[in-house]
Structure formats: C-alpha cells, structure tokens
Amino acid sequence: MGSVLKDLYDGKIFFAGQSRLQMEENQRRRRERLGDCDEFIQRLKRMDPALADQFIGIMDEQLETLPSETTAAFIDGFRLGARMMIEVFEGSGREENGI
C-alpha cells in the first residue's frame, strides 16, 4: 500500500474544493517567469556562450531538487494539520489555555 499523502500530492487523489483558477494563475505566472529566463539566457549567449551554458546547468540542478523538496514540504504540512486535528479531537492543551 502506497503513501496516502504522496498520492494526494501527486494528484492521484482529487478533492472537490480544489481551485482551478488559482492553478491557472500559477501556471500563467510560471510561463511569464520562464519567458524572462529564456530572454536572459539569450542575452548571456550573445555575451558569452560558455557562461550561458553554465547558467543553464545551474538552473537544471536547482530544478532537479524542487519536486522532492515540494513533496516533503507538502507531507510535513499535512502531518502538522493532522496533529492539530488530533489535539482538537483529544482536547489536548485545554488546561494550558483555560478552555
């Protein structure tokens, strides 16, 4: 049996409240940033092709780490939310907070 949190993150589990508008806005912004990056690379190529290749290599290395970092952050956030819910259902912390 796989990880429910990873399946949720990977889009194998869909929840009804997901906002398509926010996703579309993020995609639009991402395309704009990629366009900016492409323009910068073209300018670098005109100045120094080796420098442009080095920059592309650095960016590729950075992008390779992003999925695992994002997955880990999602799982950590979800676990934090679950711990909060456990506290809510168990009533933990009521004494400290006077509730």
Side-chain angles (χ1 to χ4, degrees), residues 38-93:
D38 287 341
E39 288 177 25
F40 182 71
I41 290 170
Q42 293 307 314
R43 290 174 59 193
L44 273 178
K45 283 182 180 180
R46 287 190 294 273
M47 292 172 35
D48 185 345
L51 189 60
D53 291 340
Q54 182 181 4
F55 177 73
I56 291 169
I58 291 168
M59 293 303 293
D60 287 345
E61 289 171 358
Q62 290 295 313
L63 290 173
E64 286 174 8
T65 63
L66 190 58
S68 62
E69 290 174 2
T70 307
T71 300
F74 175 83
I75 291 170
D76 288 345
F78 200 96
R79 285 183 175 148
L80 176 61
R83 286 195 306 264
M84 286 189 278
M85 293 308 299
I86 289 169
E87 284 186 24
V88 167
F89 288 118
E90 289 181 344
S92 300

Side-chain angles (χ1 to χ4, degrees), residues 23 25-35:
M23 291 172 55
E25 176 64 18
N26 288 340
Q27 289 173 350
R28 183 191 62 76
R29 280 190 256 152
R30 190 176 310 114
R31 283 191 300 272
E32 287 176 1
R33 297 297 77 79
L34 287 174

